[in-house]
Amino acid sequence: MLREPLFHFVILGLLLFLAGRAYQTRTDVYRIEVTPAHVAQLARSYALQFGTPPDAATLEQLIQDDLRDEMLFRQGRALKLDQDDEIVRRRVVQKEQFLIQNLHAPAEPTETDLAAWYAAHVDRYAAPSRAGFSHIYFAVGPGGDAAARARAQGALARIPAGVTRGPERGDPFPDLYDFSAFEPEQVERLFGRTEFAQAVFTAPTGRWSGPFRSAYGWHLLYVAARDAPTRPPLAAVRERVRSDYLQGAQDRANAAAFEQIARRFTVVRADRKAAP
């Protein structure tokens, strides 16, 4: 019997069958093995969330809930529900980004590093200019934009010397007429990114000027005082500089890690037409 080729064929086939069944059992999508390590992970997650370890009944319920989720997840994958799903795609991308960041955390900067960073980005930490100003408002009426501007020009010529405010010389304005120590961002938030908002920080001080256009209409402007931007010493903004330095280092490390990943891929741009 040992010399029969048929016997050898049967034995080899049996071995292959058993090996295939063993592999299928280990990789079967419908076979879930609850390991002690996974149960411990469930217990740790519960303790982190609630501040105390789960009791036996709670732990068993956690295991049953986890099994239910795993069954639904595997069944969904078997039906290929994870394919072409934008939410699943975004979640996987997010997890990969977290993984890259965790593997490439930047080193703590030295004082020399911080000083160099601050010197290269000093304008980022400068305190913005501040201005105190008053304005006279002219609404755009039935006569249109040109008529409102002409009214403002006429009012400017009639303002006596020494007058620093005169809201009654124009139209009612829906907000304040006088502003103290306003920064550019505050002015733009109220008047829009307009000619008037720019003039608050460029027009001469101590006299009326204009008219300047805003999101509301036309204005005459009186800038009483304006402080130039100031650059604080490194010691005053050290924590901001450190945070920005680490973020910059992290961004560069992330970019380098992504480049290594990108080199493994071949991108075929079928959407682009071939050059003539």
Side-chain angles (χ1 to χ4, degrees), residues 254-264:
N254 290 351
F258 176 75
E259 282 299 321
Q260 291 183 347
I261 295 174
R263 292 193 191 102
R264 304 170 187 170

Side-chain angles (χ1 to χ4, degrees), residues 10-29:
V10 172
I11 294 298
L12 181 59
L14 180 61
L15 291 175
L16 289 175
F17 173 77
L18 294 176
R21 287 298 300 270
Y23 176 79
Q24 183 180 11
T25 300
R26 292 181 59 185
T27 59
D28 189 354
V29 68

Side-chain angles (χ1 to χ4, degrees), residues 268-273:
V268 178
R269 292 299 305 268
D271 60 313
R272 294 178 177 173
K273 294 182 179 180

